[in-house]
Amino acid sequence: MSSILLKKVNASIGNFDLSDISFSVGKGEILVIVGDNGAGKTKLLETIAGFLPVKSGKIEVFGKDITYTPTSKRGIGFIFQNLALFPHMSVRKNIMYGLKYSKIEGKKRLLEEIAQIFGVKKILDRSPETLSGGEKQKVALARTLITDPKIILFDEPTSALSIKEREKVGIEIKKILKKLEKPAIFVTHNENEAFLLGDRIAIIERGKIIQIGKGGEIFYHPVSEKIAKFFGTTNVFKGTVLKNENDSVVLNVNGKAVTALGKVVEGDEVTMFIRPEDVVLMKEPCKTSARNLFQGKVINILKKGPLIEVKVDVEFEITSFITKGSLEKFGIDMGKKMYVEFKATAVHLVKIE
Amino acid sequence: MRKSDKLTYTIFFIISAIVLTFISLPLIRLFFFLTPQNASVLKSRSVLMSFWNSLSLSFITAVISAVFGVPLAFLMSKRSFGKFERFVETIVDVPLAVPHTVAGIALLFIFGRRGILGAIAYNSFDFKITGTRVAIVLAMLFVSLSYTVDSAREGFKSVDRSLEKAATVLGAPLHSIFGTIYLPLSRSSILSGFMLTWARAISEFGAVVILAYYPMTAPVKIYDAFTQYSLSTSGAIAAYLLLMCMSIFLTLRFAIGEKR
C-alpha cells in the first residue's frame, strides 16, 4: 500500500489549474517535486493538505480517502517555506503546540525524545527569533513530527538558507525521515536538492506532472527538452531516423550519421539528448567501442565552477564537460581541431509526435 | 548635503514646529488654570460626579467595543464577508464621518421614548433610555466603536497567514487558533484600539448631550459651566479633565509601548 495516493486530482485556484495530478508515494519514500516558480508546487501541497479544495479526483492516505477531510483531521504534517514558527512562543511551546490537540499519551516523555533526536534540548526555552536558520528548521520539523503525522509535506523550507547550509540541512532532514520511516513530499526549485533528497523525482510544469521517476531516469532519459534543460546545460538535437536494425538506430543529424539505441522506425523525427559528461574530447581518434566519432573545431570554452564547458562544431554544435586538467593536457583552445566521441548508449531518443 | 536639500529640511522643520505649537499651546495654556484656588471646583459634587461618569462610562464603552468589535474585526480581516466586504467596511467607518449631533439625533429616533427600541423598553419594562447612563454609553459607543474595529482588524491582518495554516495542520480548531495565535499576536493593536475608543468616548459631547444632558459627563458639565457661570470656572474644570485624561493615556501608552 502506498502512503499517499493521488488519483486524477483537479483543482482551480483563481485562474490557475492543477490538472490530472496522479502519483503515489511509497512507505518511507521521499518524493521530490521540482518545478520553476509558478509551476504549481505550493498549490499542489496546499491541495493535498486541504487548504485548497479539490474539484475532482481523489486523495488517499494509507488507503483512507481524505479528499474532503478537514485539514486539521488529515494527519498530514506541513513544513512551510517560512517555517511558520509561532514568534510569541518559546521553542518548547512551539514543539508542544500540536500535542494539545492530539490524544497521544506520555507527552512530556515525547518532548524529551524529540528534543533528543533533533538536538534541540539546549534551546527549548529560547524564542524562535533568536535561532539560526538551521535551528529553526529543526524546531519546525520537531513540532511537526511530535504529532506523528502519516506523511510530511515540505514547501521549500530550505530556500532561505545558504547553499552550503542548505545541503547540510537537506541531508539531516533525509536522515531523520529515513530513521523514523516517514514518507514525505518535498517541493523545491533546486535540482541539486532534488537529487540529494529524492528517492524519486517528479517534474511539475503549469500545474501538470510531466515526468516522474528515479533521479537518474529523469536526468538521463528526460521526456522533453524542457526537462533536459532543467538540469543545466545539455545537448539536444533534432534528427531523422535513417534505419533501425534490432533497435540499433542510425540517425541523420545535420548531415552526419549518429548511432543510437531506441525503438523508433525509419522516417521518424526524433529529439536526441546527450549529457555533456558523456561526450569525450580527444586529440587523436582511438579505437573504442563508441561508434560515434566526429571531428570538429572548438568554438567556445566556458569555465563553470569545477567543470569547463567546451563546445565543438561537428556540423552540429556539441558540448562536452571536461576538467581543468584535461583542458591543459590536451591544450584545448579556441579554433583547435578536436575529436568528439560518445557511445550509442549515451544517446537518449524521444520521438516527436 | 546639498544646499537646496538643507533649505527643504529647514522649511519642513518650521512647518512642523507650527503644527506642534498649534496643538500644544492651547493645552499648555489650560494647565495654568491648575492653581490652588481653582482646586475648589473639585469640591463640587456635580463636578466630581461628571468626572466619574465620563471615566467609568467611557471605560465601559471601550470594553463593550472590544467584546463586540474584535469578532467583527476578525471576520473582516479574513475577508469573510465576500462581496459585501466594502459595504461592511463602509458601515463600520461611517460614524467617523457623521457629525456627532447628527449621530445623536439619529440615535434618538431609535432609543428615544418613541424610537423603535426605546418604545419597546419604555412600554415593556417601563424604562426610559434617554437621560440615563445607558444612553450615554450608547452615544459613546456609536461614535467610537469604529476605532476598536479598525485597529483590531489591522492587527489581525498583519498576522502571517502561514501561522494559522501551521496551527491548522497541527490539529488546532479555529477557536484555539484565535485564542493562541491571533489574539496574542494582535494584542498591541487591540489595546491601542481600546485606548483610542476610550479616549474618543471620554471626549464625546455632541451625541451624548442630545441623548442625555443629565446625568452629566465632564464635557457636558464644562459646557454647562461655560454657558451658566464663567469662562474661568469652565476653564478650571476643563484643566482638571485634561490633567486626568493625559495622565491615564500617557501611562497606558507607556505601558503598551514597553510591552511591544
Side-chain angles (χ1 to χ4, degrees):
Chain A
M1 195 201 299
S2 43
S3 62
I4 192 162
L5 176 72
L6 273 76
K7 269 189 207 158
K8 287 191 171 270
V9 169
N10 284 279
S12 289
I13 308 100
N15 46 16
F16 185 89
D17 289 329
L18 288 174
S19 12
D20 279 339
I21 306 272
S22 297
F23 63 77
S24 66
V25 179
K27 274 184 186 169
E29 186 188 29
I30 303 175
L31 174 72
V32 176
I33 297 178
V34 199
D36 290 328
N37 290 330
K41 305 184 294 279
T42 299
K43 298 212 164 72
L44 174 56
L45 287 194
E46 298 208 329
T47 305
I48 295 173
F51 294 131
L52 299 171
V54 169
K55 209 160 72 181
S56 67
K58 202 172 174 188
I59 304 174
E60 282 178 9
V61 170
F62 285 98
K64 195 179 147 210
D65 187 347
I66 58 151
T67 317
Y68 302 103
T69 308
T71 299
S72 56
K73 309 230 156 166
R74 289 192 179 200
I76 282 177
F78 203 115
I79 308 283
F80 294 83
Q81 188 161 17
N82 63 0
L83 303 176
L85 296 180
F86 305 130
H88 57 301
M89 297 180 197
S90 65
V91 168
R92 184 194 309 274
K93 283 195 172 158
N94 262 284
I95 296 178
M96 300 279 278
Y97 190 86
L99 290 183
K100 277 187 275 182
Y101 311 106
S102 77
K103 294 185 187 92
I104 299 172
E105 282 178 24
K107 293 177 179 177
K108 276 245 167 75
R109 193 180 43 82
L110 201 57
L111 176 72
E112 299 249 313
E113 264 178 46
I114 286 278
Q116 184 73 38
I117 293 173
F118 288 88
V120 294
K121 257 189 172 157
K122 281 189 183 148
I123 57 169
L124 280 178
D125 292 313
R126 276 167 61 185
S127 146
E129 65 188 35
T130 67
L131 303 179
S132 73
E135 286 169 336
K136 282 183 191 165
Q137 301 274 341
K138 285 185 192 169
V139 175
L141 198 52
R143 180 178 72 177
T144 298
L145 279 168
I146 203 167
T147 60
D148 197 28
K150 297 183 185 86
I151 180 165
I152 305 172
L153 313 178
F154 293 81
D155 185 9
E156 301 202 51
T158 58
S159 58
L161 300 176
S162 68
I163 294 176
K164 222 172 131 188
E165 215 181 352
R166 177 187 289 199
E167 195 175 302
K168 199 178 129 207
V169 170
I171 292 170
E172 265 183 67
I173 290 178
K174 183 165 184 170
K175 217 163 77 188
I176 288 168
L177 289 176
K178 291 297 174 193
K179 187 173 166 187
L180 301 175
E181 295 176 340
K182 285 286 171 199
I185 300 176
F186 194 104
V187 146
T188 178
H189 63 265
N190 181 301
E191 68 277 8
N192 292 325
E193 198 166 49
F195 282 115
L196 185 71
L197 289 173
D199 296 315
R200 276 188 308 147
I201 295 173
I203 312 258
I204 188 166
E205 191 189 304
R206 275 188 244 134
K208 275 188 182 147
I209 300 277
I210 49 175
Q211 190 170 6
I212 184 163
K214 294 225 186 283
E217 221 169 283
I218 294 180
F219 192 66
Y220 290 106
H221 299 126
V223 294
S224 74
E225 189 172 335
K226 175 114 193 180
I227 295 176
K229 290 198 166 155
F230 192 82
F231 301 110
T233 308
T234 191
N235 293 297
V236 182
F237 308 112
K238 299 263 185 283
T240 317
V241 178
L242 296 175
K243 62 176 183 183
N244 182 345
E245 280 172 8
N246 299 326
D247 291 344
S248 175
V249 182
V250 179
L251 304 128
N252 172 12
V253 181
N254 263 12
K256 292 275 180 182
V258 173
T259 311
L261 302 176
K263 295 194 186 306
V264 283
V265 295
E266 204 181 308
D268 276 354
E269 296 288 324
V270 294
T271 307
M272 45 185 279
F273 304 91
I274 309 162
R275 287 296 314 168
E277 56 271 28
D278 287 334
V279 178
V280 182
L281 289 187
M282 295 176 303
K283 251 174 139 175
E284 301 295 335
C286 66
K287 266 199 149 187
T288 59
S289 64
R291 276 180 281 178
N292 294 304
L293 183 70
F294 306 98
Q295 199 192 23
K297 259 200 304 196
V298 175
I299 55 166
N300 200 17
I301 301 173
L302 192 62
K303 288 186 182 163
K304 265 194 184 171
L307 288 178
I308 296 160
E309 257 181 59
V310 179
K311 197 179 255 183
V312 184
D313 183 4
V314 293
E315 295 305 313
F316 47 92
E317 291 174 5
I318 189 160
T319 301
S320 168
F321 285 163
I322 62 168
T323 60
K324 185 163 160 278
S326 314
L327 187 80
E328 283 164 3
K329 188 174 151 202
F330 294 128
I332 297 171
D333 216 337
M334 291 292 279
K336 189 155 180 163
K337 282 219 154 85
M338 294 293 295
Y339 284 90
V340 168
E341 179 201 272
F342 52 88
K343 291 178 180 170
T345 49
V347 184
H348 165 58
L349 300 178
V350 174
K351 192 179 156 189
I352 299 171
E353 301 292 342
Chain B
M1 199 188 283
R2 280 168 56 173
K3 223 177 168 186
S4 67
D5 293 354
K6 245 185 184 166
L7 185 66
T8 310
Y9 266 109
T10 312
I11 293 173
F12 279 25
F13 268 118
I14 292 172
I15 292 173
S16 308
I18 293 172
V19 173
L20 295 175
T21 311
F22 176 70
I23 295 173
S24 49
L25 195 63
L27 299 179
I28 292 170
R29 171 68 188 90
L30 207 49
F31 275 118
F32 284 100
F33 276 97
L34 296 174
T35 57
Q37 54 267 44
N38 273 346
S40 62
V41 293
L42 290 181
K43 283 182 191 149
S44 150
R45 222 185 101 81
S46 66
V47 170
L48 282 179
M49 201 59 203
S50 73
F51 277 25
W52 168 245
N53 283 341
S54 273
L55 273 183
S56 58
L57 298 178
S58 58
F59 182 78
I60 291 169
T61 300
V63 171
I64 296 174
S65 292
V67 171
F68 285 87
V70 167
L72 170 60
F74 185 63
L75 289 183
M76 288 171 80
S77 76
K78 291 178 75 67
R79 301 177 168 276
S80 309
F81 292 102
K83 54 185 174 180
F84 296 107
E85 189 182 334
R86 294 302 295 272
F87 179 67
V88 172
E89 272 174 19
T90 309
I91 289 185
V92 166
D93 285 340
V94 152
L96 301 179
V98 173
H100 293 178
T101 41
V102 174
I105 299 289
L107 286 169
L108 206 53
F109 281 118
I110 304 298
F111 298 108
R113 197 155 56 85
R114 293 203 200 98
I116 300 165
L117 296 176
I120 297 174
Y122 188 69
N123 296 332
S124 312
F125 307 102
D126 201 19
F127 176 60
K128 191 163 148 269
I129 297 176
T130 49
T132 64
R133 289 185 168 79
V134 175
I136 295 173
V137 168
L138 287 171
M140 287 177 167
L141 264 179
F142 189 87
V143 296
S144 65
L145 178 64
S146 313
Y147 293 101
T148 297
V149 179
D150 285 346
S151 185
R153 184 189 60 200
E154 289 313 306
F156 290 139
K157 264 190 186 167
S158 68
V159 173
D160 186 343
R161 268 303 154 89
S162 64
L163 298 181
E164 176 184 346
K165 287 181 178 171
T168 308
V169 284
L170 289 169
L174 185 62
H175 64 86
S176 294
I177 295 172
F178 180 72
T180 58
I181 310 287
Y182 277 104
L183 270 189
L185 288 174
S186 313
R187 214 191 57 176
S188 64
S189 295
I190 293 171
L191 278 179
S192 78
F194 181 88
M195 271 173 55
L196 278 170
T197 297
W198 193 7
R200 186 68 201 78
I202 282 191
S203 67
E204 181 51 26
F205 173 74
V208 168
V209 83
I210 287 175
L211 249 62
Y213 198 88
Y214 292 99
M216 276 188 189
T217 61
V220 176
K221 182 73 200 170
I222 291 167
Y223 177 75
D224 192 61
F226 175 66
T227 50
Q228 297 209 19
Y229 309 108
S230 63
L231 180 58
S232 57
T233 312
S234 58
I237 305 172
Y240 281 103
L241 182 63
L242 177 66
L243 180 70
M244 200 166 60
C245 295
M246 293 284 277
S247 32
I248 291 172
F249 290 116
L250 288 179
T251 313
L252 279 179
R253 190 167 192 146
F254 185 71
I256 292 174
E258 282 289 276
K259 279 176 186 161
R260 222 174 242 178

